[in-house]
């Protein structure tokens, strides 16, 4: 076992204030504190599954920033290269939680420390020894300098032979469809591993999702595309074929964070050399455990919990409760 990270992620981590379950955001009086952020969620998920992970990004020199870094450290994520910006605040996210209606999410991120990420904050040694660099489309949408930092990471990963994993994570509150096509579309084409929603592939590349997946494979850079379907099933496509995985039936408490949990589960399987079918099943299992709890990361499992739950799912029973 090495001492450096297997996986490096880079992006926005925010303080999350989550309203009491089931209460609309404008009526909520009680909130609990947690953290949120696509890349930091994946880093936490992989760390709990036993992988060495590092998160790159910037937080403010404020209590929210310290809370974010403290939680990531507690999950086992290396934050030694995280920047603390004395001139900008940590981003804030307010949301409610409900299993059967749309979630109300309010972002307070304009001028945040995360948006001030820039190429000069990225160094080759931050990636030393890593096998995977995981990115999302959110970070380059935060600012021009953040987009330049992401492309600096891509260049460094390419030169070091590190696989690039990319999840578009399209959020239309951050920009128009055209802006997302301009920002995330080129990153899709640079990725070795793509994890994208059916609707995201259609938006960013045009055409049907399966057609888009085949087009990415034909470009020669991408080795695997995982399509997250609208019905919550998933398909993995590579030159070796395609594999399907249904979603496991569970009682949903909070659906937010399912995609990041799925990404952590799938990347864990890939890192351990599991075949596509097993990696998909593990991804579906991690996502199913995540949506049974509140907040983005509460339900992210350890490897032994994942394995017991997956066995129960595949046997047709209830997953093991912790």
């Amino acid at each position: 076992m090495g001492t450096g990270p297997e996986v490096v992620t880079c992006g926005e981590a925010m303080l999350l204030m989550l309203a009491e379950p089931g209460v609309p955001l404008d009526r909520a009086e009680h909130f609990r504190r947690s953290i949120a952020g696509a890349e930091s969620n994946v880093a936490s998920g992989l760390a709990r599954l036993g992988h060495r992970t590092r998160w790159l990004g910037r937080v403010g020199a404020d209590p929210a920033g310290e809370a974010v870094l403290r939680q990531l450290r507690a999950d086992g994520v290396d934050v030694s290269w995280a920047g603390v910006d004395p001139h900008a605040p940590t981003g804030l996210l307010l949301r409610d939680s409900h299993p059967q209606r749309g979630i109300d999410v309010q972002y307070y991120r304009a001028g945040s420390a995360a948006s001030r990420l820039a190429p000069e904050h990225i160094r080759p040694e931050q990636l030393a020894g890593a096998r995977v660099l995981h990115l999302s489309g959110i970070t380059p949408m935060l600012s021009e300098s953040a987009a330049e930092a992401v492309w600096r990471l891509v260049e460094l990963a390419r030169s070091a032979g590190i696989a690039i994993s990319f999840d578009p994570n399209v959020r239309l509150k951050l920009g128009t469809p055209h802006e997302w096509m301009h920002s995330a579309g080129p990153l899709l084409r640079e990725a070795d591993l793509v994890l994208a929603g059916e609707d995201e592939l259609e938006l960013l590349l045009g055409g049907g999702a399966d057609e888009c997946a085949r087009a990415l494979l034909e470009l020669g850079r991408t080795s695997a595309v995982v399509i997250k379907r609208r019905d919550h099933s998933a398909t993995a496509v590579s030159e070796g074929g395609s594999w399907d995985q249904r979603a496991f039936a569970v009682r949903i408490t909070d659906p937010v964070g399912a995609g990041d949990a799925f990404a952590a589960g799938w990347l864990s399987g890939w890192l351990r050399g599991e075949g596509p079918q097993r990696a998909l099943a593990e991804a579906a299992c991690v996502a199913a455990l995540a949506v049974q709890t509140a907040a983005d990361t509460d339900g992210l499992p350890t490897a032994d919990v994942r394995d017991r739950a997956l066995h129960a799912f595949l046997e047709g029973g209830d997953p093991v409760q912790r």
Side-chain angles (χ1 to χ4, degrees):
M1 292 287 288
T3 56
E6 291 177 271
V7 181
V8 175
T9 72
C10 180
E12 179 186 42
M14 312 174 76
L15 189 74
L16 165 64
M17 298 301 292
L18 180 65
E20 53 200 299
V23 180
L25 190 57
D26 64 337
R27 296 290 183 179
E29 297 181 358
H30 302 286
F31 293 80
R32 58 165 292 199
R33 187 181 70 179
S34 185
I35 68 171
E39 297 86 355
S40 59
N41 288 347
V42 173
S44 290
L46 282 165
R48 292 192 198 179
L49 291 170
H51 299 278
R52 300 184 309 279
T53 64
R54 173 177 292 159
W55 176 78
L56 306 176
R58 296 181 68 75
V59 297
D62 50 29
E66 178 53 39
V68 167
L69 296 180
R70 184 170 58 245
Q71 181 59 58
L72 290 173
R73 289 191 200 101
D75 279 335
V77 178
D78 175 15
V79 294
S80 59
W81 287 97
V84 177
D85 192 326
H87 305 296
T90 304
L92 175 66
L93 186 156
L94 298 177
R95 72 172 179 87
D96 56 19
S97 173
H98 198 284
Q100 295 175 325
R101 63 163 168 78
I103 303 298
D104 187 357
V105 183
Q106 301 295 321
Y107 297 99
Y108 300 89
R109 58 176 25 137
S112 70
S115 71
R116 290 158 61 99
L117 180 70
E120 56 264 31
H121 301 135
I122 305 302
R123 302 179 185 177
E125 51 266 40
Q126 295 168 338
L127 298 179
R131 295 177 57 194
V132 175
L133 168 67
H134 179 74
L135 302 168
S136 88
I138 292 174
T139 306
M141 291 291 290
L142 296 178
S143 67
E144 183 176 342
S145 68
E148 292 171 354
V150 167
W151 280 103
R152 172 66 174 154
L153 279 166
V154 169
E155 293 168 2
L156 291 173
R158 281 275 165 256
S159 64
I162 298 168
I164 298 169
S165 166
F166 183 66
D167 182 344
N169 232 311
V170 173
R171 299 291 182 267
L172 293 178
K173 284 190 175 184
L174 274 173
T176 66
H178 178 76
E179 289 170 328
W180 275 95
M181 290 173 64
H182 176 75
S183 177
L187 286 166
L188 268 180
R189 298 176 179 90
E190 283 291 327
D192 300 275
L193 309 170
V194 171
L195 300 103
E198 197 170 13
D199 54 342
E200 291 175 327
L201 287 171
E202 293 169 357
L203 169 67
L204 298 175
L205 298 179
D210 293 271
E211 177 187 349
C212 292
R214 288 192 295 270
L216 286 171
L217 294 173
E218 288 170 2
L219 288 175
R221 177 85 73 185
T222 304
S223 60
V225 179
V226 178
I227 306 169
K228 294 175 282 185
R229 306 286 187 182
R230 291 182 176 89
D231 65 359
H232 305 300
S233 65
T235 300
V237 185
S238 73
E239 288 187 358
S242 65
W243 298 262
D244 296 313
Q245 174 64 50
R246 64 180 176 84
F248 295 119
V250 295
R251 184 185 298 276
I252 296 175
T253 297
D254 189 329
V256 178
D260 300 330
F262 183 97
W266 194 85
L267 286 171
S268 175
W270 186 89
L271 287 162
R272 292 171 13 251
E274 299 288 357
Q277 193 68 68
R278 173 73 184 195
L280 276 179
E282 290 186 5
C285 177
V286 174
L289 293 172
V291 300
Q292 294 181 74
T293 62
D296 291 29
T297 60
D298 286 0
L300 294 173
T302 58
D304 61 332
V305 169
R306 174 203 60 203
D307 292 343
R308 293 198 305 269
L310 181 57
H311 176 75
F313 282 134
L314 295 177
E315 291 296 316
D318 294 326
V320 176
Q321 298 297 311
R322 283 164 288 171

